[in-house]
């Protein structure tokens, strides 16, 4: 290729880069904001009917028209062959891609604006707050669900968590069943040490007449991790129904929305610890302040809410201190569905953005290739004229 042709390609790329920058800024400044994000918000634009797609069509068409005109007028009839033609074809294909990808820059602009309004750190902090307060935010009918709220969901304080065991005391048509709870403990030791200790312990149990089978029944799981053996087993008997520091709000370990990249089990435990401390180790004002932060969060995300932090705090303390009273109402009224949809969409925008929607991907790349080939064919036609 001649130096003039190389300069022409470089200038064309610079012009296209400036147009991409213009579309990026267009996307950045026309983003409607965090409050207006909904389930239909997407980070791609090429829908054949909106302003971005229409302008894209005309801008791309005009650029290609002038590009081809000046390419043929000033840089053809050179009689290129072999490797040079291959390089020119590659440049034309790259030019074609840049010409038809302005909407992707527009989408990047939207994403950049979103992250300037809501950083990933702030997004994760909002998740952590809701995860801690999640058991206070269910509709009141959910509190009667044995699946959502039960003693086995308590993760803190010690000796929780526990495992439930039902024993049939009297069999028959109307059996009498006794429910017991046992704390879950873990023993971890080097496998070699464990094997030696186990054989000695079995000998002692045989001498004193201890029922080894009863001990083995308490083992929940056993696994070898590297050179160590880990045993999870049922330990001491626990009576959560008589525990004064246990209330219904501790009996749910569900996360509203986990933080991406962190261990789910660790997040559940940390949220349970913070929730317990909030209920039993801090003053009432701290609980009210947590609900005030929640109310601010809901308004930030444009979620309809009727929360009154002081009243919600009163309800929480009432049911904390009257654990045997059925939870028939709690003043935590807000649009739960909208909040769940908002966070689901934000997770997708943060971690799975569609800059090129799958429904148009095949057509999009086909157009790029076809236009690139057509540009090359036009150039070949005028390139050959010089040789004849």
């Amino acid at each position: 290729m001649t130096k003039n042709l190389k300069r022409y390609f470089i200038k064309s790329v610079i012009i296209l880069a400036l147009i991409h920058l213009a579309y990026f800024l267009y996307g950045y400044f026309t983003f409607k904001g965090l409050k207006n994000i909904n389930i239909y918000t997407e980070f791609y634009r090429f829908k054949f009917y909106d302003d971005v797609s229409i302008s894209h069509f005309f801008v791309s068409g005009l650029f290609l028209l002038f590009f081809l005109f000046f390419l043929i007028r000033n840089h053809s009839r050179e009689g290129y062959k072999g490797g040079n033609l291959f390089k020119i074809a590659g440049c034309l294909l790259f030019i074609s891609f840049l010409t038809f990808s302005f909407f992707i820059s527009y989408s990047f602009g939207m994403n950049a604006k979103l992250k300037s309004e809501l950083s990933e750190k702030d997004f994760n902090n909002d998740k952590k707050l809701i995860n801690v307060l999640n058991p206070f935010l269910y509709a009141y009918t959910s509190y009667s669900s044995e699946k959502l709220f039960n003693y086995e969901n308590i993760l803190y304080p010690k000796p929780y968590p526990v495992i439930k065991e039902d024993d049939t005391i009297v069999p028959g048509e109307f059996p009498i069943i006794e429910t017991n709870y046992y704390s879950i403990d873990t023993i971890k030791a080097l496998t070699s040490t464990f094997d030696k200790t186990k054989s000695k312990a079995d000998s002692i149990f045989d001498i004193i007449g201890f029922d080894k089978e009863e001990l083995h029944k308490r083992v929940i799981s056993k696994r070898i991790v590297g050179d160590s053996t880990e045993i999870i087993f049922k330990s001491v008997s626990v009576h959560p129904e008589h525990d004064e520091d246990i209330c219904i709000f501790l009996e749910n370990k569900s996360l509203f929305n986990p933080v991406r990249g962190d261990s789910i089990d660790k997040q559940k435990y940390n949220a349970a610890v913070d929730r317990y401390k909030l209920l039993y180790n801090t003053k009432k004002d701290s609980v009210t302040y947590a609900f005030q932060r929640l109310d601010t969060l809901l308004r930030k995300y444009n979620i309809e809410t009727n929360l009154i932090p002081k009243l919600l705090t009163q309800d929480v303390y009432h049911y904390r201190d009257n654990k045997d009273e059925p939870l028939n109402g709690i003043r935590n009224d807000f649009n739960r569905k909208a909040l769940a949809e908002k966070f689901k969409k934000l997770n997708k925008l943060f971690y799975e953005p569609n800059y090129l929607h799958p429904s148009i991907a095949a057509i999009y790349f086909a157009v790029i290739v076809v236009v690139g080939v057509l540009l090359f064919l036009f150039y070949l036609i005028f390139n050959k004229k010089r040789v004849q």
Side-chain angles (χ1 to χ4, degrees):
M1 288 191 292
T2 64
K3 288 184 179 179
N4 284 337
L5 181 56
K6 289 179 181 178
R7 287 197 196 100
Y8 181 68
F9 282 142
I10 292 172
K11 288 178 181 177
S12 299
V13 170
I14 291 173
I15 292 171
L16 287 169
L18 291 174
I19 299 174
H20 273 277
L21 176 61
Y23 270 92
F24 176 88
L25 294 174
Y26 183 33
Y28 187 91
F29 289 109
T30 57
F31 179 63
K32 294 180 180 179
L34 179 63
K35 287 188 174 183
N36 292 303
I37 287 178
N38 55 50
I39 58 174
Y40 303 106
T41 302
E42 296 168 297
F43 278 167
Y44 82 98
R45 283 291 186 278
F46 208 85
K47 302 179 181 177
F48 309 105
Y49 60 79
D50 66 353
D51 56 340
V52 177
S53 300
I54 293 170
S55 67
H56 199 310
F57 178 81
F58 285 106
V59 172
S60 298
L62 284 172
F63 175 83
L64 287 175
L65 180 64
F66 284 105
F67 172 80
L68 184 60
F69 174 77
F70 288 110
L71 176 68
I72 293 172
R73 180 184 175 184
N74 300 327
H75 304 284
S76 62
R77 300 184 177 89
E78 295 292 341
Y80 292 119
K81 293 182 181 179
N84 281 323
L85 284 178
F86 182 78
K87 290 178 183 178
I88 292 171
C91 289
L92 292 175
L93 187 63
F94 182 60
I95 293 290
S96 177
F97 168 74
L98 290 179
T99 306
F100 288 101
S101 56
F102 300 139
F103 70 97
I104 296 179
S105 292
Y106 174 87
S107 301
F108 272 107
M110 292 179 67
N111 199 347
K113 181 62 174 178
L114 167 64
K115 291 182 178 179
S116 72
E117 289 191 11
L118 179 69
S119 68
E120 186 175 7
K121 180 181 178 181
D122 289 341
F123 185 40
N124 287 336
N125 286 336
D126 289 344
K127 288 182 179 180
K128 290 175 183 177
L129 175 63
I130 303 178
N131 286 338
V132 171
L133 300 180
N134 189 45
F136 306 114
L137 305 179
Y138 284 88
Y140 78 92
T141 53
S142 298
Y143 290 96
S144 60
S145 168
E146 293 183 3
K147 184 178 180 181
L148 285 174
F149 293 89
N150 61 68
Y151 294 133
E152 291 180 285
N153 283 330
I154 304 172
L155 301 179
Y156 184 86
K158 288 292 183 182
Y160 301 94
V162 297
I163 187 171
K164 180 181 178 182
E165 188 174 89
D166 290 328
D167 295 321
T168 302
I169 305 301
V170 179
E173 186 177 355
F174 302 102
I176 297 175
I177 298 176
E178 182 182 72
T179 298
N180 295 300
Y181 293 92
Y182 298 93
S183 66
I184 300 173
D185 285 332
T186 303
I187 292 178
K188 191 173 183 179
L190 291 172
T191 301
S192 56
T193 304
F194 174 80
D195 290 339
K196 292 177 183 177
T197 305
K198 179 177 179 297
S199 60
K200 290 180 180 179
D202 286 345
S203 301
I204 295 171
F205 290 151
D206 287 337
I207 293 171
I208 64 177
F210 188 84
D211 187 357
K212 290 184 292 184
E213 290 302 318
E214 182 63 31
L215 187 64
H216 292 157
K217 286 179 183 179
R218 286 180 172 258
V219 175
I220 299 172
S221 67
K222 174 184 175 182
R223 64 173 184 151
I224 296 176
V225 183
D227 58 355
S228 299
T229 297
E230 179 184 88
I231 294 179
I232 299 175
F233 64 99
K234 293 183 292 185
S235 185
V236 298
S237 179
V238 180
H239 303 280
E241 66 275 15
H242 302 306
D243 194 331
E244 293 300 322
D245 286 347
I246 293 300
C247 66
I248 192 168
F249 301 114
L250 301 181
E251 296 172 20
N252 179 284
K253 62 181 179 180
S254 301
L255 298 175
F256 172 78
N257 202 294
V259 173
R260 184 67 65 100
D262 290 351
S263 165
I264 300 294
D265 289 338
K266 185 177 179 181
Q267 288 184 63
K268 288 180 177 180
Y269 179 77
N270 290 339
V273 172
D274 292 342
R275 191 179 307 124
Y276 179 85
K277 290 179 178 178
L278 192 65
L279 278 169
Y280 291 99
N281 293 348
T282 61
K283 295 180 179 179
K284 208 172 196 179
D285 289 345
S286 297
V287 179
T288 302
Y289 175 66
F291 289 133
Q292 286 173 342
R293 289 176 58 202
L294 175 67
D295 188 54
T296 302
L297 182 154
L298 294 174
R299 296 180 191 282
K300 178 175 80 172
Y301 289 103
N302 199 30
I303 305 301
E304 184 181 350
T305 173
N306 294 310
L307 284 183
I308 301 176
K310 286 187 177 181
L311 296 182
L312 182 52
T313 302
Q314 290 176 15
D315 292 342
V316 166
Y317 270 80
H318 174 79
Y319 288 107
R320 186 202 74 169
D321 298 332
N322 298 274
K323 57 182 295 183
D324 295 326
E325 181 180 334
L327 201 160
N328 292 321
I330 183 169
R331 286 169 282 191
N332 59 0
D333 185 29
F334 67 97
N335 193 331
R336 295 174 180 81
K337 182 180 179 182
L339 183 64
E341 289 177 347
K342 179 81 74 170
F343 271 73
K344 181 179 179 181
K345 176 53 67 174
L346 283 169
N347 275 322
K348 190 169 184 180
L349 296 179
F350 263 91
Y351 305 112
E352 302 170 18
N354 272 328
Y355 297 114
L356 178 62
H357 198 273
S359 65
I360 66 167
I363 298 174
Y364 172 71
F365 287 112
V367 168
I368 290 173
V369 172
V370 168
V371 171
V373 170
L374 288 175
L375 290 173
F376 185 60
L377 289 176
F378 272 110
Y379 187 77
L380 279 181
I381 292 171
F382 288 92
N383 183 56
K384 288 184 176 179
K385 278 192 173 182
R386 179 74 177 179
V387 179
Q388 289 175 351

